[in-house]
Amino acid sequence: MSFRFCLSPRIPLHMKAPRGIAILGSTGSIGRQALEVIQANPESFRVEVLTANRNWEELCQQAIAFNPNAVVIGDESHYNELKDILWPLGIKVFAGEEALCSIMDMEGVDMVLTALVGYAGLKPTLAALRCGKPIALANKETLVVAGDLVTGLAKESGINIYPVDSEHSAIFQCLAGEFHNPIEKIVLTASGGPFRGKKRDDLATVLPEQALKHPNWSMGAKITIDSASLMNKGLEVIEAKWLFGLESSQIEVVVHPQSIIHSLVQFEDGSMKAQLGLPDMKLPIQYALGYPNRLANDFPRFNFLDYPTLSFEQPDMETFRNLRLAFDALQKGGNMPCVLNAANEVAVDRFLKGSIGFLAMSDMISDVMQSVPFEGSPSLENYMASDAEARRRAEEW
Ligand code: NDP
């Protein structure tokens, strides 16, 4: 069996009691949509834990509405405000990074949705796996930074990681019933983002507000900029390697502007399977939380007649160098994807603050990748050191 990842054919128990979900990053785009899914399926899911970084007011409102067992706020300065309101309601309140990890052990947590953004997802994901909790993984950066450690731990503990990213969910859905069949290749589709078809000269002066206008998806700021620069697709290529146990030569990217085909798998007999639907993150969120069940819903349905043409293009890796850099990092392996990710997080932040231009993001990431010492077989400590070093160099760039 060539399928090396932890998405084993082992079928989880049917949901007898509502599954207790911890949503890490409940105030974000994925987190809010997950709450809508849970609200619509009270017989299948209940909210056990909610977390945010700084947005304590929204976290507080969510807690009042969903009555979780506990909330965690990353920024400890908001602990007292939350505690004053939520303790009297019987909702436990914790603060800080440590709490985010230790809460995974809570008995009522049956599954953890990692919907926080960036490198911050790594430690809580590892903590959840150590506690034996299945993961619904939106936070792709976790697998980019330390995919070997995360999937290694999942396999060792026999815990599944269910993809939430729409492309990876599509591949996972295509693999249902096929786990014993080797994958020849996968094709990740990309919308191309708001600057599809543009050349480097057109992009030299684009502003954050232009980059923040995605044609098909409404998402958090970081992933929206990553989509505009094609770094998001690069991160997804690395994510796919770890989720599905693939070599980089087995992963292709095709630009598909309508975002209807969410991705494809080709098997060894040449047959291809695709998953289609309107672009709506609630479907992959629901599939990951409810696996192996498909839950009825009233999401708008796709109608072929509304889309008489579905089109496909090669990605332009000369203009959008980030995708090329991600393939380079994947091929080099070791700490290089971690360095790529850290440099990119700083690049996006600096672009949003206006301190560097759109094209400079790739220049900076490339320079940082060349300057941080290479580690072939990093430990968790090595990854943390590489992340810190790459950030330092990217801030100084
Ligand atoms: P958002 O920026 O909308 O939300 C991020 C969430 O994480 C917020 O709840 C935020 O809290 C919290 N958070 C941010 N930083 C930290 C931190 N250091 N410690 C703890 N919590 C933190 O992001 P998205 O929902 O768009 O994306 C979340 C993840 O899902 C990303 O990895 C993204 O790549 C992935 N993803 C997103 C998709 C989408 O459609 N949005 C699609 C596919 C994948 P606060 O509100 O307090 O800042």
Side-chain angles (χ1 to χ4, degrees), residues 1-32:
M1 179 166 123
S2 77
F3 194 60
R4 286 187 276 129
F5 173 59
C6 37
L7 292 173
S8 72
R10 188 168 61 98
I11 304 296
L13 295 176
H14 270 254
M15 286 178 273
K16 290 197 179 106
R19 203 169 265 177
I21 311 290
I23 305 180
L24 310 187
S26 61
T27 52
S29 159
I30 292 287
R32 288 187 200 130

Side-chain angles (χ1 to χ4, degrees), residues 25 27-30 53-55 115-116 138 140-141 165 219-220 281:
T27 52
S29 159
I30 292 287
N53 192 30
R54 293 205 183 90
N55 190 352
L116 33 66
K140 64 193 86 184
E141 293 91 341
D165 228 341
M219 308 178 285
M281 282 309 297

Side-chain angles (χ1 to χ4, degrees), residues 15 53 119 146 178 373 382:
M15 286 178 273
N53 192 30
Y119 175 82
E178 304 271 11
N382 294 144

Side-chain angles (χ1 to χ4, degrees), residues 64-381:
I64 291 168
F66 286 89
N67 192 28
N69 192 353
V71 302
V72 183
I73 183 81
D75 182 344
E76 298 182 27
S77 67
H78 296 303
Y79 172 75
N80 283 332
E81 286 137 318
L82 271 171
K83 195 187 75 159
D84 289 349
I85 301 172
L86 298 182
W87 275 99
L89 303 178
I91 299 169
K92 302 180 190 76
V93 179
F94 304 98
E97 196 189 52
E98 294 265 304
L100 201 55
C101 293
S102 51
I103 201 121
M104 299 301 148
D105 211 10
M106 221 173 220
E107 206 180 315
V109 174
D110 298 317
M111 185 177 232
V112 178
L113 171 63
T114 62
L116 33 66
V117 68
Y119 175 82
L122 177 60
K123 282 192 197 165
T125 306
L126 289 171
L129 289 170
R130 286 193 196 104
C131 296
K133 306 294 165 92
I135 307 286
L137 184 129
N139 177 253
K140 64 193 86 184
E141 293 91 341
T142 287
L143 288 183
V144 174
V145 172
D148 56 340
L149 298 185
V150 174
T151 55
L153 183 57
K155 260 190 260 187
E156 219 174 85
S157 348
I159 304 299
N160 285 344
I161 299 178
Y162 301 97
V164 168
D165 228 341
S166 58
E167 295 78 357
H168 304 73
S169 174
I171 290 164
F172 182 42
Q173 293 180 54
C174 292
L175 288 175
E178 304 271 11
F179 289 110
H180 61 293
N181 282 322
I183 296 171
E184 190 165 277
K185 71 171 185 188
I186 62 167
V187 182
L188 295 177
T189 52
S191 71
F195 303 138
R196 183 175 64 88
K198 302 267 188 248
K199 294 294 170 197
R200 289 182 69 78
D201 284 351
D202 306 317
L203 296 178
T205 55
V206 294
L207 298 169
E209 45 271 37
Q210 294 168 281
L212 283 168
K213 283 195 189 119
H214 195 282
N216 301 342
W217 299 95
S218 164
M219 308 178 285
K222 196 255 177 186
I223 185 176
T224 307
I225 300 300
D226 284 346
S227 298
S229 72
L230 289 204
M231 180 56 93
N232 183 49
K233 211 46 56 182
L235 300 179
E236 287 177 8
V237 167
I238 302 172
E239 180 185 12
K241 179 222 158 59
W242 292 112
L243 278 174
F244 305 113
L246 302 171
E247 299 302 322
S248 70
S249 56
Q250 292 175 283
I251 307 171
E252 270 181 31
V253 173
V254 167
V255 174
H256 165 47
Q258 298 82 16
S259 296
I260 295 299
I261 297 182
H262 296 308
S263 278
L264 307 94
V265 183
Q266 183 172 306
F267 296 96
E268 286 188 322
D269 61 356
S271 179
M272 292 185 112
K273 283 169 85 173
Q275 187 258 335
L276 285 74
L278 292 171
D280 181 349
M281 282 309 297
K282 288 204 291 295
L283 181 62
I285 291 170
Q286 179 179 294
Y287 190 72
L289 296 183
Y291 182 84
N293 302 315
R294 287 193 181 272
L295 306 176
N297 60 44
D298 58 1
F299 305 160
R301 269 34 179 175
F302 172 69
N303 178 354
F304 276 96
L305 302 182
D306 293 338
Y307 291 82
T309 307
L310 296 179
S311 58
F312 306 93
E313 301 160 13
Q314 280 281 8
D316 173 0
M317 292 204 239
E318 301 304 315
T319 304
F320 299 95
R321 286 179 58 214
N322 281 353
L323 180 54
R324 165 83 59 216
L325 292 171
F327 270 109
D328 291 347
L330 177 57
Q331 251 148 16
K332 182 125 200 213
N335 64 341
M336 210 36 69
C338 168
V339 169
L340 168 102
N341 178 70
N344 181 57
E345 287 192 21
V346 175
V348 171
D349 189 51
R350 287 186 60 183
F351 172 66
L352 284 171
K353 289 177 176 149
S355 98
I356 59 171
F358 188 79
L359 294 176
M361 289 196 287
S362 309
D363 299 336
M364 175 169 124
I365 295 163
S366 172
D367 286 352
V368 173
M369 284 170 68
Q370 284 168 40
S371 69
V372 173
F374 180 67
E375 293 271 356
S377 306
S379 62
L380 181 58
E381 289 68 33

